[in-house]
Amino acid sequence: MRPPVTPRERSTPEPTPARDGASTPGGSPETSSQSSSSSSSESSSPAHEAVTDLSDLPPAWSGRRAQAWPGVPLLVALALWAYAVRHTDVSRLDDYGLVTALHPAFWAGLVVLTTGFWFTVRDPRRPGVWAAAYVLGLLVMERVTQAVVYPTPLYAWAWKHEAVIDHLLTAGGLQTADQVGDMAVYDQWPGFFAAQAALMRLLGVDSAAMFMAWWPLVSSLMLLLPLLLIYRTFTEDRRLIWTAVWLFYVANWVGQDYFSPQSVAYALHVGVLAVVLRRFGRSAGRRGRPRQAVWTVVLTVMLVAIVISHQLTPGMLVVCLLALCLSRRYRDWVPVVTTVVIFLAWCLTAALPFLSAAMPDMIRSVGDVGANVETGYGATPTGTGAIATSWAARLLSGSVLLLAAVGVLRQRVLRHRARPLLLIAAAPLPMFAASSYGSEMIFRVLLFMLPGAAFFAAAALLPKVRTLAADAAAKEAGSRQAAPVKPRGRGLGTWVGLTALLGGTLAFVPAYSGKDRINYFPPQEVALVRQLFDQAPDGSLVVAANRNYPLAYASYWSVDHYWFLDDARSHVDRIVRNPAGTLAGDMAGVERPARAYFLLTQGQLANSEMNGQLDEAQLDRIQKSVAASPRFQLVAENSAGWLYVLKQAQGAER
């Protein structure tokens, strides 16, 4: 919901240096409803230029009917969505993921929702509650759909995080680097997992899987208030605020809203920016040190939660805060210094064991932009569906960034007024040169650019903003007349904006859900893997093609794993040539009572095939070779995969 505006913010905004060319954050309303007396008084002060748009359209009708009509398309859209999810079959997903599985009513509902939002939000006289209702409807359709249509949670990484929480609850603590190898990273940044363990105790549930399917909705809602506060800092125009929020959610296809430390750390990151933008500007600093001290404490709590939960987010936050210091309006070093001190304190203490081992590789990657943005083997979309959804994501992000550039060029007033948002949007770009972050840096940079980019992209879709002072001066000089208020007709810009908004909203679905064939694990696959870990003795070894299956890290503190597609390509080729013999050699050496298991599932096949590793025929050959070998015994199988155990009584197969 839109934060309340104090009387001071409505009538007597704080001045800022004239070179910023706009009012301070929290300035005057940007609608044509401002009075002429206000216009004349503001035009006399060059340091403050109130903004308005003189092309506002009057409502098509007034009264109760005008107040209630936005609810009609909203209810129709949600009814179509409810019908669609009840008639969507996800039992057989193709390479387009959820895109082709969805019932056509879903797409119709999304069109109705977007159209209703656009014509509702463009009318400045509509109550802001309707825009908020439409945004919540968007989150339901785009973030709740997967939780409803899939019977099990998505993403192998979410299941991995569930395993870490399970171990934290059962063992009373996490493990050290010499005990669990690369899983030690969770020991160094345990904030998210400790919080989730506490939440599970509070809710009385046995597993995070009980609620992690709904986490995309939860993490998206956590972003709503800080986004509103950030945008409300630079404008009071509800059209611009809510369109920016809509575009933010539509363009946030990267998938970091799932059950992960990143989802919470990112919400806190946006929250820190909101606090800094609203409470650490020049005008805020003049309101008294005691209040600044309170907000510094709030900021510190949020920073600590970020630093102990995620590795990358503090670095992104530092560059954003440093960029803000380039603006005279936010040249306050308290947020930057506080962030750096807390970040370094954690890195030099709790996280030091992991960083000491990883630092050489991190240093080598600095400046290697080409290597940092390339995907590499096993991360290249393969097949028509994977390539199409990958391009949908690229075009969506490219379109939003292009719209943001148009908004910056077109909206001169906002370019000055919201310059801090422009700095925040540009700040993450140098991180391309810092690290590859597991071939994901390009996606993370897009994610952290999004709050600023969405604001200017929304500005590109809305009528051009002008200052009251400039209009009054031009009128007095006789150079031009203020533009007349248009009648009910809809201009070309309205339909162009609607087309752009519809294109982005529809493109979100393939960008976000187009790889669900990889990310979805049917109940049969969950049951098969659970059967494995229920019977595997401590010290056992699980061999699989890759880690894309549910519960892949279950009992990671007592069971070893080997994913052969992570190995050198030469060894993978040997496995393809002689599957049973090579795998038997890799699995030898496990002593009783431990066992060596070979697991091949539907999720592994989808990931390998769609990311350019081994195709279906090659994996099928491996499975048949293992099935025919006397060295292996079938333990369990179902429609989602096979589980074999290596017989320990016989010698290695040649």
Side-chain angles (χ1 to χ4, degrees), residues 406-621:
V406 171
V408 171
L409 295 174
R410 179 170 175 263
Q411 302 279 18
R412 182 187 65 84
V413 174
L414 292 178
R415 184 166 69 242
H416 292 286
R417 171 186 285 265
R419 184 180 300 166
L421 272 183
L422 191 58
L423 294 172
I424 288 173
L429 287 172
M431 297 299 286
F432 279 129
S435 171
S436 68
Y437 202 70
S439 299
E440 291 187 1
M441 183 57 74
I442 186 172
F443 305 119
R444 305 306 174 96
V445 168
L446 288 171
L447 179 66
F448 283 91
M449 292 177 65
L450 202 49
F455 180 84
F456 286 101
L461 300 180
L462 293 169
K464 192 172 182 179
V465 171
R466 298 186 292 273
T467 63
L468 287 172
D471 281 339
K475 185 175 181 179
E476 291 175 3
S479 60
R480 61 183 174 88
Q481 296 293 325
V485 176
K486 297 180 181 179
R488 295 182 183 180
R490 306 294 182 186
L492 178 62
T494 302
W495 302 108
V496 171
L498 174 59
T499 301
L501 202 67
L502 270 173
T505 305
L506 294 174
F508 171 87
V509 181
Y512 187 75
S513 306
K515 292 187 177 181
D516 280 5
R517 183 187 165 211
I518 294 176
N519 299 323
Y520 168 57
F521 311 113
Q524 297 88 342
E525 188 168 357
V526 176
L528 183 68
V529 180
R530 197 179 299 279
Q531 182 177 350
L532 161 63
F533 287 103
D534 284 345
Q535 70 177 38
D538 289 351
S540 294
L541 171 68
V542 176
V543 176
N546 53 53
R547 64 195 75 196
N548 191 61
Y549 53 94
L551 300 164
Y553 291 84
S555 304
Y556 66 88
W557 54 94
S558 61
V559 175
D560 292 329
H561 297 80
Y562 169 54
W563 299 288
F564 62 79
L565 288 180
D566 289 350
D567 214 331
R569 186 58 190 261
S570 58
H571 189 72
V572 174
D573 291 338
R574 286 197 296 272
I575 292 176
V576 173
R577 288 193 300 268
N578 180 21
T582 306
L583 288 172
D586 293 339
M587 298 166 66
V590 177
E591 299 180 358
R592 294 181 183 276
R595 308 296 301 273
Y597 297 90
F598 176 69
L599 176 70
L600 190 61
T601 64
Q602 176 178 308
Q604 297 173 53
L605 171 62
N607 186 78
S608 176
E609 187 177 14
M610 293 183 65
N611 282 326
Q613 295 177 312
L614 299 182
D615 58 29
E616 183 177 7
Q618 291 171 313
L619 287 173
D620 185 61
R621 182 174 182 272

Side-chain angles (χ1 to χ4, degrees), residues 322-402:
L322 285 173
L324 281 178
C325 290
L326 297 176
S327 170
R328 285 182 59 188
R329 202 182 309 172
Y330 291 100
R331 199 161 293 169
D332 189 330
W333 292 96
V334 170
V336 180
V337 172
T338 304
T339 305
V340 171
V341 168
I342 296 174
F343 188 24
L344 288 178
W346 187 261
C347 290
L348 296 176
T349 54
L352 187 60
F354 176 84
L355 291 176
S356 299
M359 191 59 67
D361 290 336
M362 295 170 63
I363 294 175
R364 280 193 296 270
S365 68
V366 174
D368 191 358
V369 178
N372 289 345
V373 298
E374 68 181 4
T375 55
Y377 170 69
T380 303
T382 304
T384 305
I387 293 174
T389 55
S390 177
W391 272 105
R394 296 179 189 180
L395 291 174
L396 176 56
S397 292
S399 299
V400 171
L401 294 178
L402 180 61

